[in-house]
Amino acid sequence: MPSPAAALRWCERNILLPVTVCFILGISAGRTQLLSEQTAVIALVLLAIAALVLHHRHALLLSLPIFFLTGHLHLLHHLAKPHAAGQLAAVLTQEERRVTLVGTLASMIEESEQDGEVISRFELEAEEVLLDTTWQGVRGRVRLAMLGKADELRPGISLMLLAKVGPPESFKTPGAFDYQGHLAAKGIYLSGWIDGRADVLLLDSENESSLRWLPEQVRQETGRFLRQHLSPELASVYQALLIGSQAAVPPEIQEQFRAAGTMHILSVSGLHMSLLALMSGLLLNWLLRRSEWLLLRTHVPTLALLGTMPLLLIYGFIAGLNTPVLRAMLMAVTVVAALILRKRHDMLHLLAAAALLVLACNPLALFTASFQLSFGATAALILFLPQIVPPAVENKEPPKTLIKAGRYILSALLASIAATLGTLPFLLFHFHRLPLLGPLLNLIVEPLLCLWALPWGLAAIPCLFVYPPAAVFLLKIGSLGIWAGLRCNELASLLPCASVWTISPSLMEIVWYGIVLLLWSLKYRQTALIGAALLVLHFTWGLWFPPQPGKSSIAFLDIGQGSSAFLHLPDGSRLLADAGNSGKRNIGEQVIAPYLWSQRVWRLDQAVISHPHRDHFSGMDFILRHFKPKILWINGDAHREENYQQILEQAAGQGVQVRIPQSGQPIAQGKNFMLTVLRGKPPRDDVNEASLVLHYRHGRRAFLLPGDIGRQSEEMLRRQGVELRADVLLAAHHGSRTSTGEDFLTAAHPELIVVSAGRSARQEHFPAAVNRALWQMRKIPVLITREQGTVTCGTDGEWLDCGVSSIH
């Protein structure tokens, strides 16, 4: 254990590392609003005064909390930006509304296909907005999507358009992708929809020739050229490699990249920049060494490094010079400079400086997957570099060609493994997948795409504007590498062992993992192995020994216009009631499964589909495949909507028992709790009325989940005299006016009503005004998932806590 004096000396020699760590911790604390802005400012001023009057060494130590507070305040200031006066986001604070905007097209047009229709997406730098017949000057960017093509629109032109604009829709469900945060990290706080090209009016193109818009114009022209001269499959991947746009990459190809562990290749990252710089640097170094004059008068490696800078700038220019690209350039320059200038021991300091610079420009970048993956991979390569590329040893006889090639391949494989190890906790946290074949496939696919296709594509771009046939020829050569890479991914993704789906690691486990890697790199191998074994045991403990909390937890998930509730019972058993959404996305894959993984759920014991309407079952296929419940309860309705029959066949194929419960049948019970199906299918044809109704009781607390039943079924249940009393009621049929009648409400006598509903053209019906009025008259609190997000209720049979309020 080092002494305090030794630790202080280490800090003096390596000040960038602790300063950057403290800055990052301050940004993280700012997200939780650990300190108010006033408190942080006062503390920062006092520390700054103390640092000025104290001894140098003490002042050095005070710099650490100073950077912590600076990071904290920096994030608070950044979060307050959209609410500043004059910002468009401060003007349009309500839900989506149709407005007229005037502004400048600020990005390339990205085209993608959805259900056979072309969707064009772009960013508008707003200058004016029409509100209540009054034009108001504003500033800020808005992300827009439009039905149809927009070929004649180019970055830099002024537009007037009619769009439905509001805050970006993002599911407020733990574990789900935070689209709102993703856009905020780019400085975008609003998104919108344009019905068609007729709603866009071109005002003028005076600014089109400005150099400011040239990178986006080059990107747009490059993307259009690729789509015109290559197949859609090849063009989409080439767009991702060259101009950083993944919008056109088909979902099935993206899934193949994810399964193979090579998804990072589709993003313009430090990896692309570093490989490009190393390849060009080595080539330049070899060429320059041919000159004896240069060898005698210059430092050739430094000259080669300087020669790579224009190429990196050109690539960054083509990729759009946005924040991720600039970050990638910075990291590439850092790594390549340290390697060629033989400053291996300074690489961590250079990386810390790069991280500090990036976060000083945009603190929200810390929470993005791209930042975490980029810096994680680079840090791992730096730590393991001496073991991957050992120092040169003098040898009288040069190694044979095969031995030399074998060493290169082994070094590349070790580098790929190191990068995978460095990014592993972030991969699991964001994508919930362990790419078992990733290191090996990266060894094959990265050279095909980054060392073959990418250089040919970069060489083709200048020809595109000078002599297009030459550009087509070069792209055809480069696309051979893309084709081969796609086939490798396709074959690998078919293997059952390609990747494994896992739960999300906790913050403690991520830090634990980092300590294990650090110990290994410092050659404390035995300690590192013990730590790794304990970490694996801790991470997988719930798979072998599911926890028995002794309490109940029921989460009503925010999944849009649909329904899904997760029940964690006192004996540790877990049940999912419904998993559907009326939209076209697979809500099971995109929201419900990430939520379950974030709650460290490996397996489900049971699942329920209350009735065969897609807003209650559409995501169940993904849930069955990855969470393997033992029993699937259905109402037995003969109605078969969309892929409902395929889901039942899938369940049978997986060995899941598909059962139809009897009315009043308990499907889970223990010492002090019972989950009962109050009724099975009634003798009627209405699909909603045939919904399964779940009643859960734990001690003196109860919950009622009535599916989509209407007032006829509600009356039938009331007349049968079954137990309807519930402290928490999930509003039937999403709060529709056809459900939750007055007599039924009296019988249930809830203390809280939860409405599972999302944004839609008919959202005023969910919940209906008549129900809102009735609930308000009875003074029953109401929580709506589209507004409050996922609502989680917990009870031990006595107390009841529903997140925003506690009921005693």
Side-chain angles (χ1 to χ4, degrees):
M1 189 78 177
S3 66
L8 184 60
R9 286 195 299 272
W10 184 89
C11 281
E12 288 177 342
R13 293 193 304 269
N14 305 276
I15 188 63
L16 267 175
L17 293 175
V19 157
T20 303
V21 170
C22 287
F23 193 71
I24 288 173
L25 291 175
I27 293 173
S28 303
R31 199 176 194 187
T32 63
Q33 296 185 342
L34 180 67
L35 301 172
S36 67
E37 187 173 358
Q38 293 82 358
T39 304
V41 169
I42 292 171
L44 184 61
V45 171
L46 292 175
L47 285 169
I49 294 171
L52 289 173
V53 299
L54 289 177
H55 186 270
H56 168 71
R57 285 200 167 186
H58 296 100
L60 185 66
L61 289 177
L62 285 177
S63 68
L64 301 182
I66 285 174
F67 269 86
F68 174 87
L69 291 170
T70 303
H72 192 286
L73 285 169
H74 190 36
L75 185 73
L76 292 181
H77 173 73
H78 213 81
L79 293 175
K81 267 188 178 181
H83 308 294
Q87 283 284 341
L88 181 63
V91 176
L92 302 177
T93 56
Q94 306 300 319
E95 290 193 356
E96 282 188 337
R97 57 186 294 189
R98 194 169 292 279
V99 296
T100 300
L101 291 171
V102 171
T104 304
L105 181 58
S107 71
M108 65 172 285
I109 306 288
E110 293 183 309
E111 292 183 2
S112 60
E113 193 168 313
Q114 187 174 314
D115 297 325
E117 294 182 313
V118 174
I119 306 294
S120 298
R121 291 179 172 84
F122 56 90
E123 294 170 15
L124 183 79
E125 196 168 276
E127 297 160 7
E128 291 183 280
V129 59
L130 180 61
L131 292 173
D132 302 324
T133 71
T134 302
W135 286 99
Q136 183 174 335
V138 292
R139 62 183 182 275
R141 287 199 177 195
V142 55
R143 177 77 169 169
L144 296 165
M146 183 183 75
L147 183 63
K149 289 180 173 289
D151 290 335
E152 74 282 14
L153 302 182
R154 288 169 57 83
I157 62 176
S158 295
L159 303 173
M160 177 186 288
L161 51 86
L162 180 65
K164 193 175 183 181
V165 178
E169 184 177 0
S170 192
F171 295 108
K172 303 180 189 74
T173 299
F177 176 64
D178 183 9
Y179 182 63
Q180 196 168 19
H182 170 73
L183 289 183
K186 298 180 178 181
I188 301 172
Y189 305 100
L190 294 169
S191 63
W193 172 260
I194 304 170
D195 290 333
R197 179 63 181 85
D199 289 335
V200 180
L201 175 65
L202 174 63
L203 296 181
D204 64 66
S205 56
E206 291 181 5
N207 295 328
E208 189 180 351
S209 58
S210 171
L211 288 176
R212 178 186 175 188
W213 309 113
L214 188 57
E216 292 300 320
Q217 291 170 359
V218 172
R219 293 181 74 209
Q220 180 162 315
E221 191 58 37
T222 302
R224 185 179 301 167
F225 192 86
L226 289 168
R227 292 193 298 271
Q228 289 174 348
H229 295 92
L230 296 177
S231 68
E233 180 185 69
L234 298 177
S236 66
V237 176
Y238 236 143
Q239 279 184 237
L241 288 174
L242 287 174
I243 60 177
S245 173
Q246 297 181 23
V249 181
E252 57 272 17
I253 290 182
Q254 292 192 38
E255 172 57 26
Q256 290 170 4
F257 272 90
R258 290 192 194 97
T262 55
M263 186 65 187
H264 61 280
I265 300 176
L266 291 182
S267 302
V268 177
S269 64
L271 172 69
H272 294 68
M273 294 284 186
S274 298
L275 287 174
L276 194 62
L278 284 172
M279 183 175 64
S280 57
L282 289 172
L283 180 61
L284 281 173
N285 191 51
W286 182 83
L287 290 172
L288 295 175
R289 284 183 178 276
R290 304 305 98 193
S291 169
E292 185 178 342
W293 186 87
L294 287 175
L295 285 172
L296 292 173
R297 291 169 176 80
T298 64
H299 186 241
V300 170
T302 303
L303 199 60
L305 171 64
L306 292 174
T308 65
M309 294 302 105
L311 185 59
L312 291 180
L313 286 172
I314 291 170
Y315 184 28
F317 179 86
I318 293 167
L321 286 178
N322 49 38
T323 301
V325 173
L326 290 172
R327 180 173 65 241
M329 286 179 59
L330 186 61
M331 290 178 59
V333 170
T334 299
V335 174
V336 175
L339 280 174
I340 296 182
L341 296 177
R342 300 176 184 178
K343 297 288 186 181
R344 291 185 181 181
H345 298 295
D346 295 332
M347 287 178 70
L348 272 179
H349 306 84
L350 292 171
L351 184 66
L356 196 60
L357 182 58
V358 168
L359 295 176
C361 296
N362 183 6
L364 289 175
L366 176 64
F367 308 108
T368 62
S370 61
F371 178 91
Q372 295 168 10
L373 293 172
S374 295
F375 279 89
T378 309
L381 286 170
I382 291 170
L383 288 173
F384 293 104
L385 195 65
Q387 302 163 49
I388 295 171
V389 185
V393 180
E394 288 189 9
N395 229 334
K396 293 183 179 179
E397 294 184 9
K400 295 181 180 179
T401 304
L402 287 177
I403 297 175
K404 195 173 181 180
R407 288 179 181 173
Y408 275 121
I409 293 172
L410 180 60
S411 294
L413 179 59
L414 291 174
S416 180
I417 292 172
T420 301
L421 288 174
T423 58
L424 183 58
F426 306 115
L427 285 172
L428 299 186
F429 184 83
H430 291 286
F431 307 113
H432 316 288
R433 287 178 105 159
L434 174 61
L436 297 177
L437 298 181
L440 182 59
L441 284 167
N442 281 317
L443 191 62
I444 301 170
V445 178
E446 276 178 15
L448 289 171
L449 270 62
C450 297
L451 298 183
W452 179 264
L454 182 58
W456 287 109
L458 289 173
I461 290 176
C463 301
L464 184 154
F465 301 96
V466 179
Y467 186 57
V472 174
F473 176 74
L474 295 172
L475 288 172
K476 294 284 187 182
I477 296 175
S479 63
L480 294 174
I482 294 178
W483 181 89
L486 289 176
R487 300 293 79 78
C488 290
N489 276 338
E490 185 179 3
L491 290 173
S493 65
L494 297 175
L495 299 174
C497 61
S499 62
V500 176
W501 296 83
T502 75
I503 59 172
S504 304
S506 65
L507 178 60
M508 182 199 71
E509 288 171 335
I510 293 174
V511 173
W512 187 348
Y513 181 88
I515 293 171
V516 167
L517 284 188
L518 186 61
L519 289 171
W520 182 272
S521 69
L522 295 174
K523 296 186 168 54
Y524 293 101
R525 302 292 168 78
Q526 190 173 2
T527 306
L529 287 173
I530 294 171
L534 292 174
L535 177 59
V536 171
L537 181 63
H538 185 276
F539 183 69
T540 61
W541 185 265
L543 181 61
W544 320 114
F545 307 101
Q548 298 184 12
K551 296 178 287 189
S552 298
S553 174
I554 299 183
F556 303 96
L557 307 187
D558 173 26
I559 58 168
Q561 190 58 38
S563 184
S564 184
F566 171 64
L567 288 76
H568 195 178
L569 306 185
D571 63 351
S573 57
R574 291 151 298 191
L575 179 142
L576 187 71
D578 286 333
N581 176 284
S582 59
K584 296 175 181 178
R585 69 182 81 199
N586 189 318
I587 205 69
E589 178 179 3
Q590 296 186 22
V591 180
I592 301 173
Y595 168 80
L596 295 174
W597 285 318
S598 74
Q599 302 303 302
R600 304 181 73 82
V601 175
W602 290 91
R603 295 285 183 269
L604 288 171
D605 296 285
Q606 301 183 70
V608 176
I609 297 178
S610 62
H611 64 291
H613 273 166
R614 69 165 285 108
D615 62 336
H616 287 255
F617 74 77
S618 63
M620 192 61 81
D621 55 345
F622 191 87
I623 299 301
L624 293 176
R625 189 176 306 115
H626 295 285
F627 293 90
K628 300 178 174 56
K630 302 180 183 70
I631 303 172
L632 173 64
W633 299 97
I634 62 172
N635 69 351
D637 198 309
H639 179 81
R640 295 291 185 267
E641 185 175 281
E642 296 187 9
N643 65 327
Y644 181 69
Q645 181 61 38
Q646 285 79 5
I647 288 176
L648 298 185
E649 293 172 0
Q650 174 192 336
Q654 289 181 202
V656 178
Q657 302 176 43
V658 180
R659 296 185 185 178
I660 303 172
Q662 300 296 318
S663 182
Q665 177 180 348
I667 61 175
Q669 58 185 323
K671 182 179 179 181
N672 196 30
F673 68 91
M674 180 179 293
L675 177 62
T676 308
V677 180
L678 294 184
R679 62 181 301 207
K681 178 186 174 184
R684 60 176 69 249
D685 296 328
D686 191 295
V687 178
N688 285 333
E689 296 285 5
S691 296
L692 296 179
V693 178
L694 301 180
H695 185 273
Y696 177 66
R697 176 185 55 78
H698 182 184
R700 69 183 185 91
R701 297 298 183 178
F703 301 80
L704 186 62
L705 289 71
D708 277 359
I709 63 170
R711 299 197 178 186
Q712 292 180 355
S713 293
E714 290 174 355
E715 182 63 19
M716 182 185 298
L717 286 171
R718 197 176 62 83
R719 289 180 178 177
Q720 288 174 353
V722 298
E723 183 181 2
L724 293 175
R725 193 201 65 78
D727 298 281
V728 179
L729 169 66
L730 178 64
H733 203 184
H734 320 284
S736 167
R737 65 189 303 273
T738 60
S739 302
T740 320
E742 222 173 321
D743 292 338
F744 182 77
L745 195 62
T746 300
H749 193 61
E751 296 185 44
L752 174 70
I753 293 176
V754 178
V755 180
S756 181
R759 291 185 188 178
S760 69
R762 300 174 59 225
Q763 71 180 42
E764 67 274 8
H765 301 298
F766 306 109
V770 62
N771 284 337
R772 283 179 181 266
L774 175 62
W775 302 337
Q776 187 174 5
M777 182 183 70
R778 297 202 175 194
K779 298 181 180 179
I780 304 173
V782 178
L783 298 176
I784 306 173
T785 56
R786 71 165 171 265
E787 297 173 3
Q788 279 78 30
T790 292
V791 177
T792 303
C793 297
T795 181
D796 65 350
E798 293 295 327
W799 57 263
L800 177 63
D801 181 7
C802 287
V804 295
S805 60
S806 295
I807 303 170
H808 301 284

